[in-house]
Amino acid sequence: MSRWIQEGDNVDITNERKKGTFDTERLSAWIHGGTDVLKRRREILEFVKSVDDFKDPVPIEFLSREERILNNARKVVAMTDNTDQIDGSDFFGEGMYYQALTMGRDLHAMSLHYVMFIPTLQGQTDDEQLDEWLTKAISRAVVGTYAQTELGHGTNLSKLETTATYDPATEEFVLNSPTITAAKWWPGGLGKSSNYAVVVAQLYTKGECKGPHPFIVQLREDDTHLPLKGIRLGDIGPKLGINGNDNGFLLFDKVRIPRKHLLMRYAKVKPDGTYVAPAHSKLGYGTMVFVRSIMIKDQSTQLAAAATIATRYASVRRQGEITPGKGEVQILDYQTQQFRVFPQLARAFAFMAAATEIRDLYMTVTEQLTHGNTELLAELHVLSSGLKSVVSWDTAQGIEQCRLACGGHGYSQASCFPEIYGYAVGGCTYEGENLVMLLQVARFLMRAAEEVRKGTAKLADIGAYIGRTGAKSSRLTTHHHYTDAQLVEDLEHAARKQVFRAYDRLKKAQQHLNPEDAWNSVSVELAKASRWHVRVYLVKNFLHKVSLAPQDLKFVLVDVARLYAYDIITSSIGAFLEDGYMTSNQMNEIKEGIYECLAKIRPNAVSLVDSWDYDDKELKSVLGRRDGNVYPALLEWAQNSQLNKAEVLPSHTKYLGPMMKDARSKL
Amino acid sequence: MSRWIQEGDNVDITNERKKGTFDTERLSAWIHGGTDVLKRRREILEFVKSVDDFKDPVPIEFLSREERILNNARKVVAMTDNTDQIDGSDFFGEGMYYQALTMGRDLHAMSLHYVMFIPTLQGQTDDEQLDEWLTKAISRAVVGTYAQTELGHGTNLSKLETTATYDPATEEFVLNSPTITAAKWWPGGLGKSSNYAVVVAQLYTKGECKGPHPFIVQLREDDTHLPLKGIRLGDIGPKLGINGNDNGFLLFDKVRIPRKHLLMRYAKVKPDGTYVAPAHSKLGYGTMVFVRSIMIKDQSTQLAAAATIATRYASVRRQGEITPGKGEVQILDYQTQQFRVFPQLARAFAFMAAATEIRDLYMTVTEQLTHGNTELLAELHVLSSGLKSVVSWDTAQGIEQCRLACGGHGYSQASCFPEIYGYAVGGCTYEGENLVMLLQVARFLMRAAEEVRKGTAKLADIGAYIGRTGAKSSRLTTHHHYTDAQLVEDLEHAARKQVFRAYDRLKKAQQHLNPEDAWNSVSVELAKASRWHVRVYLVKNFLHKVSLAPQDLKFVLVDVARLYAYDIITSSIGAFLEDGYMTSNQMNEIKEGIYECLAKIRPNAVSLVDSWDYDDKELKSVLGRRDGNVYPALLEWAQNSQLNKAEVLPSHTKYLGPMMKDARSKL
């Protein structure tokens, strides 16, 4: 019997759990990486629940921004006071879970301190600097952020406008914001919380610009926390999400910092102003791959949360009769509801599988690099950029589908969907805007296509399909006999075709346009090729992972994986029919396959989402509660409303009341 | 020269306006229904700008919910004090514009008073009741709302749980909420503002349930505004949008109201408890069609606002070089950006055209009805339900595309996208959940298909294509020679095919399932058929409207209309290829057509969005400002942040400051 069943639970949700045909605990272990990991998750959960400083006074959606900032500051100090409770080396696992439980989806004053400030210090300082600054940062003697993006520039770093001009007379850099568009804009925790930042500025020495470089800059005084002379900064205002964070702006008016505040692991400036160029000009791909693999894990966690809420709610919500007189049915019984929600559930599984895989790949590549083997590196970098883009977009879409599937109550913040969406959809933009990322992936694909045409291609596994000839038509007979290998072949065919479609159009455009205009004129096709490349990987990886699952889990995961793949195929039918690769009968088989997957997933739906192992504390959704007792909880939740603090509001006393009284007197 | 150009404007946006090849003022008049209407719009705008009570103290995104409620109450009293400024009979035109300018996208205390409470009184009271209640409502002696939806029931009205039991001894009804799920939930203005409501409850008399009926109920005392005895109500808490409205909950504990508070135009209860059934059991379709035509206008206005913001911002944002050394380009020059934004612009035009058309159709049908002609009524009702569903979904998607196209700044509330999205996406759920609506449309389509198969079909223009045989293959040669008629034929083919695909599957399912389960088992296909039906109408109507436009506007509108149609086709390529109706060469022609439309729209993009005639007061977006001076305005906007009121926040003083100080002392 499912460990998720407890006395007093909603009867419908309990029945769903009883109906499940696999052991949720075993699937949880499979998802999270073993029973030991599950055990640790529960220890961390118990710890977090036991600490008073982690408790919110009311659900945070009822707090003002000022209150949220204050609440988060208390929690983040408590969180970092207690890092001994987790295995700090396992950020991807224990670290992310611990942070999700304590801080939720609001970010906090020290988010960038840990994700950007410390890693930058580790990567960009020379030994002497590392000693000084890393000690301060890790001990929390300073709180730092990473100030790169400006009001006028995000994507195109080379055009950042903040300047750092070296003055050999005093051995200082002078930081300046020559225009309004040079204002640093967006860095998390910059507005009010941080007192230090790594600031990226154009380095000028001996009258020459040497491009953007990182500097460590004190922003606020140690004791008073007031901004230092020449520094103007503050909060950038409310956003779609993460309003418990003080994303900030920052302007410099000729602020002097010591020469040694240039982070000098790579480039250096000597006391006399001589610039020493870095030996390696490239940024470490490794860190970027790591950050993106964290993002993919994070995104999949948000989509899974949304699918959990929608699935559980659909199992307790009864509305409408399918057969008159037989009573209202659980809305999960409507095919349209399944068609909305289950593909999101399937995506979440696929994305989780990709997140784990890319973390492992990252480790493999890191290991290879120590032996000087860089073969996989570029491809992996490309894949992680593409995954970030496809996963964040599909996640955002999927969350909204889940929300809409919950009808009116999905629109209430009680559902938590607005918070989940606001948080997750940011991933489409930060850490590389999605379309820009896809076009980077396309650079790689076009090189690969070129090499394939020339017969010189050496493609690692991820892109090997580009070089294969492939069959002329799909081997699909009926969906019951459709093998994983055939399915992957078909997807690879579609991807390859789009890669070469884009390539041929590019070549043609280059005949009458300069290379850059030609590139721009086919960029929609290029982005499409990149999406296919990533989706092939996602399906392939998921099918492979499922094929290795133990038999008592595999039988249910197979339907989830097939639904994921079929959904991709039927969303792009043209790609398979255009060149006669598939017949419409074959396509109909796949459509039938979807309906069969929906029906087969239906009885296990609640157990599948239970297996993700969300505690109510992490989910934070009245609709998605474990116990299914949604309606009393909604009523209770609403009592927290700011408007319910007084029975009669000033809006009545001052405006509506007098208006009505006046009218009554005239009746 | 464009009337939109002023001195001091951003140079890039001015150049765009100079580049425009048509007269924006003439297009504005075409869009809004003539120069007279434009003149009135500007008079209304000037009036609204002149009234102090309409001014927000700061942009409303910086206000707490309590402050927003108070601010909106002041504004709504002022708005309704000044209704003599507009032509009240023209709600669709002047009324909606006046309300948008004064109240924005936040709704207000009296939204439902005007949209639901008064129309219900007009439609459901007998003459005596009308006299009493309409007078009170129109004079604003009472503020009413419409309380139908409950915590446990929205879509399925027949299962509402609130009861109204007639007591002949006192000639009263006893209102009661027997369960928590019976709580009225969602009605706008119910929580704090209204003192009256039309409450829909199950009428019981002589021991029998007569189904849901409307009652007028006083909720709060006239003078004190305190809830009457037995009534418990309040705000339901924050939502994804419209947080300046106090959507409320309401529970009755055996509340007695006079018999005459049953709205008795149709059904009646006599003093002894005898129930008199209504002569006509159907609700007036007319009102529903009218409400939905308002929604379509409203949704198109929101999508147009989003497209305006994204287009203007993309014309002033410069990022990245296409050709190295030639300087950064306006992001509007990127094909991927055009591909994201221009289809949304085209949709907005198409939806506006549909909104006008459906309003006119509504009037025609109303006129026909007075002659007893009901032929068009059902089809029109069906069409308006379907339009509501397709338009609200495409609008929501389109707004998010526009937001994402603005990168990081789109995520800030300064862009206004979060507000626009939160407001508009609600339309997918209220006034009939989208999928439920689509399945209602499908009922009509399946009846039509049945009749066509039987040879008995009599279809009005909107659905006539279902009965036509149609060609076996598309007549498209090149997209330059593709006529409107051919294009519509092709779309009708796809729609017809899906209608009969769904129909055949339904018939097949009915062989082994009961009718309801059969219906459910093909509901995904049914919903798809409905979407096609609506999209055919949208394209046809838009092309027709454009074909009638004067020559100096038509040449630019044609590209917009084609982009809209081509986008629909290429989003469903399979529908045209599956049965060999189109070849892949023909499909490629359409894809080329899209790229050509993008390139042709590019130089007129800013002028096209200018033509919608948004004032900054209505748009409320820092990114979408008329003058294009986005960056200084962003910096200024951010100064309003609640967090910027103090230089050092309690979060530092209480938590982060002591943490750092402690660490420094140990270094």
Side-chain angles (χ1 to χ4, degrees):
Chain A
M1 184 140 104
S2 171
R3 69 185 290 275
W4 293 89
I5 298 175
Q6 287 179 28
E7 208 158 337
D9 288 357
N10 173 288
V11 175
D12 284 329
I13 208 165
T14 298
N15 285 339
E16 292 296 328
R17 286 171 174 142
K18 286 183 179 161
K19 223 161 36 181
T21 58
F22 67 93
D23 183 339
T24 53
E25 193 67 357
R26 279 183 47 79
L27 185 54
S28 291
W30 185 79
I31 291 168
H32 289 289
T35 49
D36 287 355
V37 178
L38 277 192
K39 192 164 156 275
R40 282 293 298 142
R41 281 173 65 88
R42 281 141 198 189
E43 285 166 5
I44 295 168
L45 176 65
E46 284 319 305
F47 171 72
V48 170
K49 283 185 173 175
S50 74
V51 177
D52 279 343
D53 269 343
F54 289 148
K55 295 192 169 73
D56 298 315
V58 291
I60 62 154
E61 51 274 22
F62 295 104
L63 300 176
S64 69
R65 274 199 77 201
E66 299 95 307
E67 291 165 340
R68 282 166 85 151
I69 294 281
L70 185 62
N71 189 48
N72 285 355
R74 186 194 69 249
K75 291 198 293 182
V76 75
V77 172
M79 179 180 85
T80 51
D81 278 347
N82 288 287
T83 45
D84 57 331
Q85 294 289 328
I86 60 157
D87 173 2
S89 73
D90 180 25
F91 182 72
F92 189 87
E94 298 199 0
M96 284 179 80
Y97 186 56
Y98 178 53
Q99 184 169 268
L101 287 174
T102 49
M103 305 306 304
R105 304 174 188 97
D106 219 20
L107 300 191
H108 53 76
M110 296 179 77
S111 296
L112 262 72
H113 181 80
Y114 288 106
V115 176
M116 294 295 294
F117 184 67
I118 289 180
T120 305
L121 293 179
Q122 289 169 327
Q124 305 282 329
T125 51
D126 64 25
D127 293 349
E128 189 189 334
Q129 291 174 325
L130 186 70
D131 228 37
E132 177 180 0
W133 296 112
L134 196 64
T135 311
K136 286 183 178 170
I138 285 179
S139 68
R140 305 181 298 167
V142 304
V143 172
T145 182
Y146 183 83
Q148 177 175 290
T149 302
E150 296 175 356
L151 196 42
H153 284 92
T155 305
N156 190 15
L157 291 186
S158 67
K159 294 284 178 183
L160 290 176
E161 295 179 81
T162 305
T163 55
T165 309
Y166 187 64
D167 178 358
T170 58
E171 293 191 22
E172 287 171 321
F173 285 101
V174 184
L175 286 170
N176 198 42
S177 312
T179 61
I180 280 179
T181 46
K184 294 295 173 188
W185 200 269
W186 278 114
L190 171 64
K192 293 289 166 179
S193 307
S194 305
N195 55 1
Y196 274 78
V198 168
V199 172
V200 180
Q202 301 286 357
L203 192 163
Y204 281 85
T205 184
K206 297 187 170 180
E208 270 182 36
C209 179
K210 300 294 182 183
H213 285 70
F215 299 83
I216 186 153
V217 184
Q218 182 167 3
L219 305 174
R220 290 174 177 270
E221 229 181 277
D222 277 356
D223 289 325
T224 63
H225 203 59
L226 292 171
L228 295 182
K229 195 168 160 283
I231 285 176
R232 185 181 160 207
L233 80 181
D235 176 69
I236 61 163
K239 299 140 290 185
L240 180 58
I242 55 165
N243 282 309
N245 191 353
D246 50 318
N247 300 74
F249 68 86
L250 167 62
L251 284 153
F252 294 104
D253 182 14
K254 304 199 182 78
V255 172
R256 291 183 164 262
I257 56 170
R259 179 182 64 91
K260 289 197 167 176
H261 283 208
L262 166 65
L263 300 188
M264 298 214 239
R265 171 171 289 186
Y266 301 109
K268 294 181 210 313
V269 168
K270 292 187 179 170
D272 70 348
T274 306
Y275 179 77
V276 185
H280 309 284
S281 69
K282 286 208 173 178
L283 272 168
Y285 274 155
T287 319
M288 290 163 76
V289 173
F290 182 65
V291 171
R292 289 190 190 132
S293 84
I294 287 173
M295 273 187 74
I296 291 154
K297 163 97 184 237
D298 186 31
Q299 292 278 327
S300 67
T301 305
Q302 303 309 326
L303 181 54
T308 302
I309 297 165
T311 303
R312 287 183 180 165
Y313 178 66
S315 81
V316 302
R317 175 79 170 177
R318 287 182 172 268
Q319 195 83 175
E321 298 177 312
I322 291 182
T323 310
K326 292 242 170 127
E328 293 192 286
V329 301
Q330 296 164 284
I331 57 174
L332 199 54
D333 284 332
Y334 290 105
Q335 189 193 51
T336 45
Q337 187 77 4
Q338 297 165 10
F339 192 70
R340 264 180 175 178
V341 176
F342 294 171
Q344 317 319 327
L345 179 159
R347 282 177 178 178
F349 269 102
F351 297 167
M352 280 184 189
T356 314
E357 180 68 11
I358 202 140
R359 179 201 54 183
D360 294 348
L361 268 176
Y362 163 71
M363 288 176 182
T364 309
V365 171
T366 311
E367 171 64 20
Q368 281 185 358
L369 284 175
T370 61
H371 303 85
N373 178 352
T374 60
E375 214 177 331
L376 259 176
L377 184 63
E379 246 181 286
L380 178 59
H381 172 62
V382 157
L383 179 66
S384 71
S385 310
L387 271 175
K388 177 268 178 202
S389 176
V390 169
V391 166
S392 62
W393 172 247
D394 285 352
T395 292
Q397 296 280 99
I399 292 167
E400 272 296 84
Q401 279 293 351
C402 288
R403 184 181 70 71
L404 288 163
C406 293
H409 295 324
Y411 192 76
S412 165
Q413 290 189 25
S415 69
C416 207
F417 284 121
E419 178 180 298
I420 296 172
Y421 183 71
Y423 172 81
V425 76
C428 292
T429 308
Y430 68 77
E431 195 60 27
E433 198 280 329
N434 275 356
L435 264 170
V436 175
M437 290 294 98
L438 289 173
L439 291 175
Q440 284 185 11
V441 174
R443 296 258 173 220
F444 162 82
L445 294 175
M446 291 305 99
R447 269 198 308 276
E450 175 110 2
E451 289 166 10
V452 168
R453 283 281 162 84
K454 284 185 181 156
T456 60
K458 272 187 205 162
L459 296 159
D461 187 49
I462 301 164
Y465 71 91
I466 300 170
R468 278 199 287 271
T469 310
K472 284 234 167 69
S473 55
S474 169
R475 292 191 282 153
L476 164 64
T477 52
T478 72
H479 68 87
H480 292 116
H481 298 93
Y482 197 28
T483 65
D484 283 1
Q486 289 167 349
L487 206 173
V488 169
E489 260 174 46
D490 291 349
L491 285 166
E492 287 181 343
H493 170 82
R496 184 167 48 235
K497 206 182 50 167
Q498 181 60 32
V499 166
F500 283 104
R501 176 182 160 89
Y503 177 77
D504 291 335
R505 288 179 63 94
L506 181 61
K507 288 286 129 183
K508 202 172 152 194
Q510 284 169 350
Q511 289 166 12
H512 59 98
L513 293 171
N514 68 45
E516 295 78 16
D517 285 334
W519 181 265
N520 186 35
S521 78
V522 298
S523 54
V524 169
E525 299 288 340
L526 290 165
K528 215 167 156 184
S530 300
R531 283 189 203 98
W532 271 116
H533 179 69
V534 174
R535 294 219 161 95
V536 164
Y537 170 81
L538 281 163
V539 171
K540 222 164 134 177
N541 177 63
F542 189 21
L543 289 174
H544 179 67
K545 273 233 159 41
V546 167
S547 73
L548 301 177
Q551 208 51 48
D552 64 323
L553 301 176
K554 198 195 289 185
F555 82 98
V556 60
L557 287 168
V558 159
D559 296 322
V560 175
R562 285 300 170 118
L563 178 60
Y564 178 65
Y566 295 168
D567 186 45
I568 288 175
I569 294 175
T570 55
S571 302
S572 299
I573 295 176
F576 300 88
L577 299 184
E578 266 170 347
D579 54 354
Y581 180 80
M582 271 196 188
T583 65
S584 57
N585 281 341
Q586 286 176 316
M587 192 51 74
N588 275 334
E589 272 302 315
I590 291 178
K591 290 183 187 170
E592 295 307 320
I594 290 188
Y595 295 128
E596 195 171 301
C597 288
L598 296 181
K600 285 169 80 179
I601 289 170
R602 167 67 188 86
N604 275 321
V606 169
S607 299
L608 278 165
V609 302
D610 283 347
S611 303
W612 282 320
D613 197 46
Y614 285 102
D615 188 79
D616 282 348
K617 184 160 178 61
E618 187 178 7
L619 212 51
K620 290 182 53 200
S621 167
V622 177
L623 300 191
R625 292 165 66 92
R626 184 204 56 74
D627 66 11
N629 293 322
V630 168
Y631 298 117
L634 272 172
L635 193 58
E636 197 189 319
W637 177 86
Q639 305 315 308
N640 293 301
S641 170
Q642 303 93 329
L643 305 186
N644 291 332
K645 286 176 193 161
E647 189 56 68
V648 178
L649 298 179
S651 57
H652 176 81
T653 322
K654 287 184 75 173
Y655 302 112
L656 296 166
M659 173 191 82
M660 289 193 273
K661 197 172 174 187
D662 181 53
R664 280 198 306 271
S665 73
K666 291 176 186 160
L667 280 180
Chain B
M1 188 139 102
S2 171
R3 70 185 289 274
W4 294 89
I5 299 175
Q6 287 179 28
E7 207 158 337
D9 288 357
N10 173 288
V11 175
D12 283 330
I13 209 165
T14 298
N15 285 338
E16 292 297 328
R17 286 172 174 143
K18 287 184 178 161
K19 225 162 34 183
T21 59
F22 66 92
D23 182 341
T24 53
E25 193 66 357
R26 279 183 48 80
L27 185 54
S28 291
W30 185 81
I31 292 168
H32 290 289
T35 48
D36 287 355
V37 178
L38 277 192
K39 192 166 155 275
R40 282 293 298 141
R41 281 173 66 89
R42 282 144 198 186
E43 285 165 5
I44 294 168
L45 175 65
E46 284 320 305
F47 171 72
V48 170
K49 283 186 174 175
S50 74
V51 176
D52 279 343
D53 269 342
F54 290 149
K55 294 192 170 72
D56 298 316
V58 290
I60 63 154
E61 51 274 22
F62 296 105
L63 299 177
S64 70
R65 274 200 79 202
E66 299 95 306
E67 291 165 340
R68 282 166 85 151
I69 294 281
L70 184 62
N71 190 48
N72 285 355
R74 187 195 68 250
K75 291 198 293 182
V76 75
V77 172
M79 179 180 85
T80 51
D81 278 347
N82 288 287
T83 44
D84 55 333
Q85 295 289 328
I86 60 157
D87 172 2
S89 73
D90 179 24
F91 182 72
F92 190 87
E94 298 199 359
M96 285 179 79
Y97 186 56
Y98 178 53
Q99 183 168 267
L101 286 174
T102 50
M103 304 307 303
R105 305 175 187 95
D106 218 20
L107 299 192
H108 53 77
M110 297 178 76
S111 297
L112 263 71
H113 181 79
Y114 289 106
V115 176
M116 295 293 295
F117 185 67
I118 289 180
T120 305
L121 293 179
Q122 289 169 326
Q124 306 282 329
T125 51
D126 64 26
D127 293 347
E128 189 189 337
Q129 291 173 325
L130 186 69
D131 228 37
E132 176 179 1
W133 296 113
L134 196 63
T135 311
K136 286 184 178 170
I138 285 179
S139 68
R140 305 180 298 167
V142 305
V143 171
T145 182
Y146 183 82
Q148 177 175 292
T149 302
E150 295 175 355
L151 196 43
H153 285 91
T155 306
N156 191 15
L157 292 185
S158 66
K159 294 284 179 184
L160 290 176
E161 294 180 81
T162 305
T163 54
T165 310
Y166 187 64
D167 178 357
T170 59
E171 294 191 22
E172 288 172 320
F173 285 101
V174 184
L175 286 169
N176 199 41
S177 312
T179 61
I180 281 179
T181 47
K184 295 294 173 188
W185 200 270
W186 277 113
L190 171 64
K192 293 289 167 181
S193 307
S194 306
N195 56 0
Y196 274 78
V198 168
V199 173
V200 180
Q202 302 286 356
L203 192 162
Y204 281 86
T205 184
K206 298 187 170 181
E208 270 182 36
C209 179
K210 301 293 181 183
H213 285 70
F215 299 84
I216 186 153
V217 185
Q218 182 168 5
L219 305 174
R220 291 174 177 270
E221 226 180 277
D222 278 356
D223 289 325
T224 63
H225 204 59
L226 291 171
L228 295 183
K229 193 168 162 281
I231 284 176
R232 184 180 161 209
L233 80 181
D235 176 71
I236 62 163
K239 298 140 291 184
L240 180 57
I242 56 165
N243 281 310
N245 191 353
D246 52 317
N247 299 76
F249 68 86
L250 166 63
L251 285 153
F252 295 103
D253 182 14
K254 305 201 181 77
V255 173
R256 291 183 165 262
I257 56 171
R259 180 182 64 92
K260 291 198 168 175
H261 283 208
L262 166 65
L263 300 188
M264 297 212 236
R265 170 172 292 188
Y266 299 109
K268 296 182 208 315
V269 168
K270 292 187 179 170
D272 69 348
T274 306
Y275 179 77
V276 184
H280 309 283
S281 68
K282 286 206 175 180
L283 272 167
Y285 274 153
T287 320
M288 290 163 75
V289 174
F290 182 65
V291 171
R292 287 187 192 134
S293 83
I294 287 173
M295 275 187 74
I296 291 155
K297 163 95 184 239
D298 187 31
Q299 292 278 327
S300 67
T301 305
Q302 303 309 326
L303 181 54
T308 302
I309 298 166
T311 303
R312 287 183 181 166
Y313 178 66
S315 80
V316 302
R317 175 80 170 177
R318 288 183 171 267
Q319 196 84 172
E321 296 177 313
I322 291 181
T323 310
K326 291 241 170 129
E328 292 192 287
V329 301
Q330 294 163 285
I331 59 174
L332 199 54
D333 284 332
Y334 290 106
Q335 189 192 53
T336 46
Q337 186 76 4
Q338 297 164 10
F339 192 70
R340 265 179 173 179
V341 176
F342 293 171
Q344 317 318 328
L345 178 159
R347 282 177 178 179
F349 270 101
F351 298 167
M352 281 185 188
T356 312
E357 180 67 10
I358 202 138
R359 179 201 55 181
D360 294 348
L361 267 177
Y362 164 71
M363 289 177 183
T364 310
V365 172
T366 309
E367 170 65 20
Q368 282 186 357
L369 284 175
T370 62
H371 303 83
N373 178 353
T374 60
E375 214 177 332
L376 260 176
L377 184 64
E379 248 182 282
L380 178 59
H381 172 62
V382 156
L383 179 67
S384 71
S385 311
L387 271 175
K388 178 268 177 202
S389 176
V390 168
V391 166
S392 62
W393 171 248
D394 286 352
T395 292
Q397 295 280 100
I399 293 167
E400 273 296 85
Q401 279 293 350
C402 289
R403 185 182 69 71
L404 288 163
C406 294
H409 296 323
Y411 192 76
S412 166
Q413 291 190 23
S415 70
C416 206
F417 284 121
E419 178 181 297
I420 297 173
Y421 182 72
Y423 172 81
V425 77
C428 293
T429 308
Y430 67 77
E431 194 60 27
E433 197 280 328
N434 276 356
L435 263 170
V436 175
M437 290 294 99
L438 289 174
L439 292 174
Q440 284 186 11
V441 174
R443 296 261 174 219
F444 163 82
L445 294 175
M446 291 304 100
R447 268 197 309 275
E450 176 110 1
E451 289 166 8
V452 168
R453 283 280 162 85
K454 284 185 182 158
T456 61
K458 272 187 204 162
L459 296 158
D461 186 50
I462 301 163
Y465 71 91
I466 301 171
R468 278 199 286 271
T469 311
K472 285 235 164 70
S473 55
S474 168
R475 293 192 281 153
L476 164 63
T477 52
T478 73
H479 67 86
H480 292 116
H481 298 92
Y482 197 27
T483 65
D484 283 1
Q486 290 168 348
L487 206 172
V488 169
E489 261 175 43
D490 291 348
L491 285 165
E492 287 181 344
H493 170 83
R496 185 168 47 236
K497 206 183 50 169
Q498 181 60 31
V499 167
F500 283 103
R501 177 182 160 90
Y503 177 77
D504 291 335
R505 289 179 62 94
L506 180 62
K507 288 285 129 184
K508 203 173 152 193
Q510 284 170 351
Q511 289 166 13
H512 59 98
L513 293 170
N514 67 45
E516 295 78 16
D517 285 333
W519 182 266
N520 187 35
S521 78
V522 297
S523 54
V524 170
E525 300 287 341
L526 290 165
K528 216 168 157 184
S530 300
R531 283 189 203 97
W532 271 117
H533 179 70
V534 175
R535 294 218 161 96
V536 164
Y537 171 80
L538 281 163
V539 172
K540 222 163 132 177
N541 178 62
F542 189 22
L543 289 174
H544 179 66
K545 271 233 162 38
V546 168
S547 74
L548 301 177
Q551 208 52 47
D552 63 324
L553 300 176
K554 197 194 288 184
F555 81 99
V556 60
L557 288 169
V558 159
D559 296 321
V560 175
R562 285 300 170 117
L563 178 60
Y564 178 64
Y566 294 169
D567 186 45
I568 288 176
I569 294 175
T570 55
S571 302
S572 299
I573 296 176
F576 300 88
L577 300 183
E578 266 171 347
D579 55 354
Y581 181 80
M582 270 195 191
T583 64
S584 56
N585 280 341
Q586 287 176 313
M587 192 52 74
N588 275 333
E589 272 302 314
I590 292 178
K591 290 183 188 171
E592 294 307 321
I594 289 188
Y595 295 128
E596 196 172 301
C597 288
L598 296 181
K600 284 169 81 180
I601 290 170
R602 168 67 188 86
N604 275 320
V606 169
S607 299
L608 278 165
V609 302
D610 284 347
S611 304
W612 282 320
D613 197 47
Y614 284 103
D615 187 80
D616 283 347
K617 183 158 178 63
E618 186 177 7
L619 213 50
K620 288 182 55 199
S621 167
V622 177
L623 300 191
R625 295 165 66 91
R626 184 204 56 74
D627 67 11
N629 293 322
V630 168
Y631 298 117
L634 273 171
L635 192 59
E636 197 191 318
W637 177 87
Q639 306 314 310
N640 293 302
S641 170
Q642 304 93 327
L643 305 185
N644 291 331
K645 287 177 192 161
E647 189 57 67
V648 179
L649 297 179
S651 57
H652 175 83
T653 324
K654 287 184 75 172
Y655 302 112
L656 296 165
M659 172 191 84
M660 289 193 273
K661 197 172 174 188
D662 182 53
R664 281 198 305 272
S665 73
K666 290 175 185 158
L667 281 181

